[in-house]
Amino acid sequence: MSFADEFKSAVTPRAALLVIGVLALQLLFIASYVGALHHPKPKDVSFGVVAPGPAAEQTADRLKKLSGDPLDPRVLKDEATARRQIMDRDIDGALLVDPKGTNDTLLVASGGGTALSRTLTELVTEVDAAQKRTVKTDDVAPASGQDFNGLSSFYLVVGWCVGGYLCASILAISAGSRAANVSRAVIRLGTMALYSIVGGLGGAVIIGPILGALPGSVLGLSGLGALVIFGVGAITLALQALTGIVGIGLAVLLIVIGGNPSAGGAFPLPMLPPFWQAIGPWLPPGAGTWVARSIAYFEGNSITRALLVLSAWAVVGVVVTIALSARRGAPHSSSIDLSGTSYGRGIG
């Protein structure tokens, strides 16, 4: 047999397409991460201003006219309102103008991301200096001393997401990317649910009681972890039911390439480019990171939308997986190929 014949036999059209797909994922990974994180800068950061009389509107107007529109200022009636809105995650910071002197106070919340709180401090210090004023910083929701740069919540959620799509992928590799029937689909989803509960609890215990990296309710973080893992796993199973083994690549595209850089982990959402700002809250890594930080630093405030997003991914994953399995309705076979038709026995 000639080398050309050997090559044709070894490199099938299907294998070539899979290699091209992997190359595309690699390039998209680079483009997404570098595109999102190479030049972070604040844009329309929700920001409060508390000042007496007309000084409030004047200060807000001055901040609104800053080059590049880094802040989206709004006048608040008093300091208590500013602190409450920061804890409710309605604003990211606030400037309290001293009515009797030149020493102002900047309220920040490093628990929501230390990169943003540092940026706000530098920005407001520069603005106040131009007005011959000084500013001191008051961290309303400080990040834990064991939570370097406020990244622990992000890494926790990334770990949960990895567990979700890897578990679903292993179920596909061991027993075919498409479940043979509804019963097998339910078994896979049940396995995914059990794995999610254990994985959620394990992650919460490691990051809290064991490492002390993140404060907050272990029970709350465990529930979040179970939801993140199951949502990611269920949507991965659904993509595999829809496209076969290619679904694993689609899950990587969705969660790793699209979700991780837009999650607001290394740099909070107001510091990301518009595209990543727009998609981040609607993908599991972004929604999970938001809830984890809220549980740890903001008394569990402002989590409803993010939990609904995570729940929606889980529900869509379950419905699509079961619906496509019902449509197939094929009898169990003892062999399943890479397209997901049959190549071995396992869970589903």
Side-chain angles (χ1 to χ4, degrees):
M1 183 179 289
S2 68
F3 178 79
D5 292 333
E6 288 282 4
F7 184 83
K8 290 179 181 179
S9 176
V11 183
T12 63
R14 176 180 175 77
L17 287 174
L18 289 175
V19 170
I20 292 171
V22 170
L23 176 61
L25 287 177
Q26 171 190 302
L27 298 179
L28 286 170
F29 182 98
I30 295 170
S32 184
Y33 277 73
V34 177
L37 307 177
H38 78 289
H39 185 50
K41 57 182 179 180
K43 180 71 173 178
D44 294 328
V45 178
S46 299
F47 193 79
V49 174
V50 178
E57 290 292 348
Q58 292 170 3
T59 303
D61 288 341
R62 186 165 62 250
L63 294 175
K64 194 168 186 177
K65 293 175 182 177
L66 291 175
S67 176
D69 300 320
L71 301 178
D72 178 19
R74 77 264 331 247
V75 174
L76 304 177
K77 67 177 183 177
D78 54 30
E79 179 180 346
T81 300
R83 290 179 178 274
R84 185 177 66 253
Q85 288 198 13
I86 289 175
M87 288 303 298
D88 289 342
R89 308 198 75 178
D90 293 328
I91 59 176
D92 296 297
L95 178 63
L96 310 179
V97 178
D98 184 356
K100 298 179 181 179
T102 59
N103 301 311
D104 300 331
T105 301
L106 172 66
L107 304 180
V108 297
S110 62
T114 57
L116 181 57
S117 64
R118 283 197 303 264
T119 299
L120 288 177
T121 300
E122 293 169 1
L123 180 63
V124 173
T125 299
E126 183 178 339
V127 170
D128 260 26
Q131 300 295 317
K132 295 182 170 52
R133 303 180 68 86
T134 59
V135 63
K136 66 177 181 179
T137 301
D138 183 355
D139 200 339
V140 176
S144 165
Q146 301 298 314
D147 183 10
F148 179 73
N149 276 349
L151 291 172
S152 296
S153 54
F154 170 61
Y155 290 139
L156 173 65
V157 172
V158 167
W160 282 332
C161 288
V162 168
Y165 67 74
L166 282 184
C167 181
S169 300
I170 288 171
L171 293 177
I173 292 171
S174 66
S177 53
R178 297 183 176 102
N181 51 49
V182 172
S183 296
R184 296 300 178 88
V186 170
I187 291 172
R188 289 189 183 190
L189 289 166
T191 301
M192 195 74 246
L194 180 59
Y195 175 89
S196 300
I197 293 170
V198 176
L201 178 59
V205 170
I206 288 171
I207 206 165
I210 294 179
L211 297 179
L214 203 65
S217 165
V218 172
L219 184 61
L221 288 174
S222 297
L224 169 64
L227 182 57
V228 169
I229 296 170
F230 185 77
V232 171
I235 204 65
T236 303
L237 289 174
L239 289 170
Q240 291 169 165
L242 188 64
T243 65
I245 205 70
V246 174
I248 296 175
L250 294 177
V252 170
L253 175 64
L254 182 70
I255 305 301
V256 179
I257 295 175
N260 287 355
S262 66
F267 300 106
L269 289 176
M271 298 185 71
L272 298 180
F275 173 75
W276 287 269
Q277 272 194 48
I279 67 172
W282 305 103
L283 296 175
T289 298
W290 179 274
V291 176
R293 282 178 171 162
S294 288
I295 292 173
Y297 299 117
F298 296 92
E299 301 174 349
N301 294 328
S302 188
I303 62 175
T304 301
R305 187 182 74 169
L307 289 177
L308 288 175
V309 168
L310 293 170
S311 299
W313 282 107
V315 170
V316 169
V318 169
V319 170
V320 171
T321 299
I322 292 178
L324 291 178
S325 299
R327 186 176 179 182
R328 286 187 74 210
H332 178 66
S333 175
S334 61
S335 67
I336 297 183
D337 63 26
L338 283 175
S339 68
T341 338
S342 231
Y343 67 77
R345 295 180 180 272
I347 303 178

